[in-house]
C-alpha cells in the first residue's frame, strides 16, 4: 500500500537525520533487527572552577597577633585548670596510669600526645640560663615551647639543645628537644625510633 511506502521513507529519512554518523547499510541492518537506538549529542557544560578558601599567611597572622597572649592573661593560676584537663587526657590516652603500666608504653603515647597544658621542666641545656625553668606549656611551635612559670612570666624556650622532663602520676618522661623539632600536628603521625640517643 502507498501509505506503507510513505511511512518507510519517513522512517529512513528520520533515522538518517537522527544518526548522521551511520551509513545507509547500517541503518537498514538496524531496521531488520528492529532495535533502534537514536544518537544524542549533548552540549558539554563548561565546568565551573571551585574557588578555594585561602587562610591567612604567616605574615598576616603575625601582623594580626593571632598567637600572642595578652599580658593580663599571662598568669599561672589561669592555666591550672588546663593542666588538670591535660592530666585527665593523658590518663584516658594511656587507659589509666597504674603502677604496673609499662613505662615504654607511656613514653610512646606521650611522644605523640598534645602537650598543651603539660607542666615541664628544663633539666639539661647547652645554655645554663634555661636549666630549671618550670611551667605549663601554653603553645607549642616547631622550634619552641611557650611556657608560663609560677612567677607569671611567659618564657619562650627553644627545643633545640634542651632536655625537658615531664611528670604525671609518678611517671617521669624525658623529651629530647633536638629530636622533637615538629609541629604538634606533624608529631602525632610521626614514627619515633625506640633507641638511645646522645643529645647534649
Amino acid at each position: 500500500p502507498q501509505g506503507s511506502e510513505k511511512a518507510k521513507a519517513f522512517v529512513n529519512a528520520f533515522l538518517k537525520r537522527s544518526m548522521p554518523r551511520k551509513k545507509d547499510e547500517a541503518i537498514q541492518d538496524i531496521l531488520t533487527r528492529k532495535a533502534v537506538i537514536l544518537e544524542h549529542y549533548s552540549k558539554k557544560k563548561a565546568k565551573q572552577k571551585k574557588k578555594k578558601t585561602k587562610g591567612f599567611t604567616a605574615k598576616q597572622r603575625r601582623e594580626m597577633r593571632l598567637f600572642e597572649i595578652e599580658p593580663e592573661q599571662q598568669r599561672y593560676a589561669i592555666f591550672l585548670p588546663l593542666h588538670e584537663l591535660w592530666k585527665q587526657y593523658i590518663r584516658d590516652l594511656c587507659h589509666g596510669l597504674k603502677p604496673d603500666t609499662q613505662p615504654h608504653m607511656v613514653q610512646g603515647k606521650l611522644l605523640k600526645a598534645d602537650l598543651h597544658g603539660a607542666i615541664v621542666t628544663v633539666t639539661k641545656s647547652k645554655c645554663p640560663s634555661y636549666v630549671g625553668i618550670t611551667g605549663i606549656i601554653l603553645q607549642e611551635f616547631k622550634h619552641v615551647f611557650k611556657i608560663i612559670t609560677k612567677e607569671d612570666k611567659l618564657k619562650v624556650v627553644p627545643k633545640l639543645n634542651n632536655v625537658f622532663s615531664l611528670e604525671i602520676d609518678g611517671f617521669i618522661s624525658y623529651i629530647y628537644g633536638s629530636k622533637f623539632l615538629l609541629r604538634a600536628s606533624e608529631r602525632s603521625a610521626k614514627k619515633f625510633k625506640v633507641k638511645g640517643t646522645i643529645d647534649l
Side-chain angles (χ1 to χ4, degrees):
Q2 193 174 359
S4 64
E5 290 298 321
K6 282 183 178 180
K8 190 176 180 181
F10 171 77
V11 169
N12 284 329
F14 175 75
L15 291 175
K16 208 166 187 179
R17 284 198 307 274
S18 300
M19 297 184 288
R21 294 183 184 179
K22 291 193 182 292
K23 294 181 180 177
D24 289 343
E25 294 84 1
I27 291 172
Q28 290 303 321
D29 184 52
I30 288 168
L31 281 172
T32 54
R33 287 187 283 119
K34 296 182 181 179
V36 180
I37 300 171
L38 302 180
E39 294 179 10
H40 175 67
Y41 301 98
S42 60
K43 291 181 180 179
K44 289 184 179 179
K45 291 181 180 179
K47 289 183 179 178
Q48 292 181 346
K49 290 183 179 179
K50 291 182 179 179
K51 291 182 179 179
K52 291 183 179 178
T53 53
K54 291 184 178 179
F56 295 118
T57 63
K59 186 180 178 182
Q60 287 172 327
R61 287 197 293 267
R62 282 195 298 270
E63 286 172 353
M64 294 170 73
R65 301 174 65 190
L66 286 179
F67 296 116
E68 289 191 23
I69 300 166
E70 297 298 328
E72 61 270 15
Q73 299 294 323
Q74 295 176 15
R75 288 191 286 126
Y76 186 83
I78 290 177
F79 297 100
L80 279 174
L82 175 65
H83 175 61
E84 293 301 319
L85 283 172
W86 181 82
K87 286 199 293 187
Q88 190 56 51
Y89 154 67
I90 294 299
R91 287 176 190 133
D92 293 343
L93 189 69
C94 299
H95 309 295
L97 291 167
K98 299 171 184 175
D100 58 343
T101 306
Q102 295 295 325
H104 64 85
M105 188 274 286
V106 178
Q107 179 74 21
K109 296 279 188 184
L110 285 173
L111 286 172
K112 297 188 176 189
D114 189 335
L115 296 178
H116 293 91
I119 292 179
V120 293
T121 302
V122 182
T123 53
K124 291 182 185 178
S125 177
K126 282 192 175 179
C127 180
S129 62
Y130 287 125
V131 177
I133 292 176
T134 302
I136 300 171
I137 294 177
L138 299 188
Q139 292 173 315
E140 180 187 355
F141 297 98
K142 186 174 183 179
H143 298 286
V144 298
F145 286 124
K146 280 191 178 181
I147 297 170
I148 187 81
T149 66
K150 287 182 179 179
E151 293 77 31
D152 296 337
K153 290 183 179 178
L154 187 67
K155 302 279 187 180
V156 180
V157 183
K159 294 179 180 179
L160 190 66
N161 299 325
N162 284 326
V163 179
F164 303 85
S165 69
L166 186 153
E167 188 270 332
I168 177 170
D169 293 351
F171 287 93
I172 297 174
S173 183
Y174 292 93
I175 297 169
Y176 287 82
S178 300
K179 310 294 181 188
F180 224 63
L181 298 176
L182 296 162
R183 293 181 181 89
S185 56
E186 295 169 350
R187 191 159 42 76
S188 62
K190 181 177 170 61
K191 288 185 179 179
F192 290 91
K193 292 180 181 178
V194 183
K195 63 179 183 180
T197 178
I198 300 170
D199 194 73
L200 295 174

